[in-house]
């Protein structure tokens, strides 16, 4: 963990307003050598579950020492805490509202602290834009080598999310759609590795509302254009897609919808 | 003002077309060490007032020496002038059409010049894309240390905007909505610091069409989800918001709408 | 061709999902010094023709040694080949599906290879996301100095596109709209330089459906707001525009529509 100069940003601010740019300006003012990378700024507004999913999807590909700033923060300015932590490889900074739930699940946090030392904040802290006034400057100071312990006291009880876990029984695997991507693919909370173990190469069907798909495909091009398919996507979760089409619009289905996998025998 | 290698870009080009990328390619061809930061490319098409507001909101957070290239330019290719200037801290480059009005208001321009020395333009200058052919190369040359005076003659009469200034009388403060952000917050031209001085801690109401809000909140979480509130936002202006909602859509109101603050008794 | 550290990305992934960020993380993990530039991620989904047009429009402005990664890839995971090549100046990496057609037309490929050496891929290659698992790491290795020949065998028959070429006869030039930009300008496949030679300064009209425009303008400001005009745009092709308006919406026309230029007497 030598260099720590890559700083990524994930927010629900969109790209139209000057909010993301303000955060970047604050970071570059403190550390002109920081390398800024946008994860996405199109998290659905105030959707902490989607933000947590997107954060956990994007961050594993970044090098050791990367600092991830995440801001989906409907309670900004209330007494909700602000956090920073690391795992064996990377760093995270953001509000204590469940946004880091899936990061914690994949890798327990080390040196988890509550951001309370205002020495590392902007001179005047707005109650409505802590991304600019707290999270951005803390990330910049982290990139300059400030240890986590300097930012505030240790925390042991971060907020968790009511994240829907998939259930596995001998008869069926049940889960739900947790994210619809820009291609219209309906991504579930059923992990491909767990599903493969459960299937044990038995034939099976995937059921989503009135749609029944036989077996899993390997890639979108395996079926004809316009046909639906089920596959374990690049993120490692079971998804329903439509070859060269937009499954969510075609099916009129979205986030929260239940799906099941049952053996076909 | 030692390093000047950060170059920001603000345009109304959107992110779909290759226009922004062409500007970045031109800059990196002249100065491969330039650090490029997008302010936004989603200024409403040809909306100079919105562009001026967004530019004045985003630029103060950047470090000394930063160069800001702004292109919202409905008159491109006509005889309208092209400008570059600095203030005590930063540099700006773009068309002379009012886009810099709020930058000028906040800090008078120094070394304001008309871009006329074609030695610093691309070899062939298109009459429809001066962002690529004039503004991008001038910014790159600035970042390499070329002094402003080299680009052309001094200008003393830059174009100004019919920017709506708020009015303060003993009875009321009157202003209008100048920008609606991506969360749906209706941002006015009433400066928070001026409003606070005028209020002198007296109780008051904010009136926007049929909506009346009692007093100012400190942050969005101060009221229940779905309720409207008034507050001085992170940009320093009075705004009307809806907690966890989209005020502009809920109210059916937008830019140009009048609002007023009156003392309550 | 000394430095090769600028890497651009063009995809149809959009900016909402974590896919582009995953590619960037993979590149930065292999080469932390890479400078990443987005060309666009809003290529219409799976539209190889639009992707080819946008790629050929944006890449000429980048410096020698730039590496362009392009992913519009409806057949990902099928046996379609993956390619890398260079011309005298720059490098390209992406699927063999016609996406590079216009790049090849403008400058014949050198050292064109099929990406088959898995030593340069990510450890596990998903069948649905080769942007992350093949194209990103190959681009990173290119930027570190790996020669093209190391990635796989030479290819001589890359896939071509049914790109519509404009036709020139003594009576008329006929072409079609190949792209509608974010301003609503209808951009044709009729090259400005060819058109100018054909016109030989004779007066002429441009016909698009029921619209007839007299002669070519030099820039959008040449006609009154709301009027239609024809001009050779900054990309070098004939386009139909509407001054301060959105020509495509006003005319109800889009991609694929025929247009003609005929001499006026």
């Amino acid at each position: 963990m030598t260099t720590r100069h890559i700083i990524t940003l994930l927010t629900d601010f969109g790209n139209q307003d000057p909010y993301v740019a303000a955060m970047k300006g604050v970071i570059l003012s403190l550390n002109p050598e920081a390398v800024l990378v946008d994860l996405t700024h199109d998290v659905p507004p105030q959707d902490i579950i989607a933000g947590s999913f997107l954060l956990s999807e994007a961050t594993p590909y970044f090098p050791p020492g990367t600092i991830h700033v995440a801001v989906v923060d409907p309670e900004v300015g209330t007494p909700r805490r602000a956090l920073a932590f690391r795992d064996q490889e990377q760093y995270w900074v953001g509000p204590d509202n469940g946004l880091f739930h899936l990061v914690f699940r994949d890798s327990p946090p080390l040196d988890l602290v509550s951001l309370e030392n205002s020495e590392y904040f902007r001179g005047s802290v707005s109650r409505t834009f802590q991304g600019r006034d707290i999270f951005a400057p803390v990330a910049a100071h982290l990139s300059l080598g400030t240890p986590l312990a300097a930012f505030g006291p240790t925390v042991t009880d971060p907020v968790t999310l009511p994240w829907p876990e998939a259930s596995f029984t001998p008869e069926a695997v049940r889960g739900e759609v947790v994210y619809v991507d820009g291609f219209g693919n309906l991504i579930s909370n059923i992990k491909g590795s767990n599903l493969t173990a459960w299937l044990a190469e038995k034939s099976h069907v995937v059921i989503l509302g009135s749609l029944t798909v036989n077996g899993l495909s390997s890639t979108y091009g395996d079926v004809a254009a316009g046909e639906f398919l089920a596959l374990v996507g690049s993120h490692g979760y079971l998804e329903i897609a439509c070859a060269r089409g937009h499954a969510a619009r075609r099916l009129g289905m979205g986030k929260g919808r239940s799906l099941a996998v049952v053996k076909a025998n």
Side-chain angles (χ1 to χ4, degrees), chain A residues 114-244:
Chain A
S114 170
L115 303 177
E116 299 179 13
N117 186 348
S118 62
E119 185 184 331
Y120 297 105
F121 301 167
R122 278 190 78 227
S124 68
V125 173
S126 151
R127 284 193 63 198
T128 56
F129 192 6
Q130 298 191 354
R132 179 191 67 195
D133 298 340
I134 295 182
F135 302 127
V138 163
H141 284 292
L142 262 179
S143 76
L144 292 166
T146 304
L148 282 161
F151 297 107
T154 298
V155 167
T156 56
D157 58 344
V159 170
T160 56
L161 274 189
W163 178 260
E165 295 288 352
S167 79
F168 287 76
T169 65
E171 293 74 34
V173 179
R174 291 175 201 287
E176 68 178 68
V177 174
V178 291
Y179 188 71
V180 178
D181 76 10
F183 290 95
N185 301 322
L186 297 146
I187 300 171
S188 81
N189 59 346
I190 299 173
K191 268 208 171 164
S193 52
N194 296 341
L195 180 62
T196 305
W198 180 86
L199 284 171
E201 302 191 1
K202 295 239 173 63
S203 61
H204 55 278
V205 295
V206 179
I207 301 168
L208 174 71
S210 60
L211 176 73
T212 300
V213 176
N214 285 307
L216 298 183
S217 297
S218 295
T219 189
Y220 307 107
D222 280 357
V223 302
E227 280 187 30
F228 291 97
L229 66 157
L231 78 171
V232 176
S234 58
H235 32 68
Y237 291 94
L238 178 67
E239 73 179 48
I240 301 290
C242 174
R244 299 200 181 213

Side-chain angles (χ1 to χ4, degrees), chain A residues 83-133:
Chain A
L83 299 178
F85 62 98
R86 66 179 181 93
D87 66 7
Q88 296 293 352
E89 300 249 306
Q90 303 181 328
Y91 296 80
W92 283 266
V93 180
D96 183 22
N97 61 11
L99 189 56
F100 299 115
H101 181 87
L102 295 180
V103 175
F104 294 152
R105 191 190 62 177
D106 294 343
S107 174
L110 304 173
D111 301 334
L112 179 64
V113 298
S114 170
L115 303 177
E116 299 179 13
N117 186 348
S118 62
E119 185 184 331
Y120 297 105
F121 301 167
R122 278 190 78 227
S124 68
V125 173
S126 151
R127 284 193 63 198
T128 56
F129 192 6
Q130 298 191 354
R132 179 191 67 195
D133 298 340

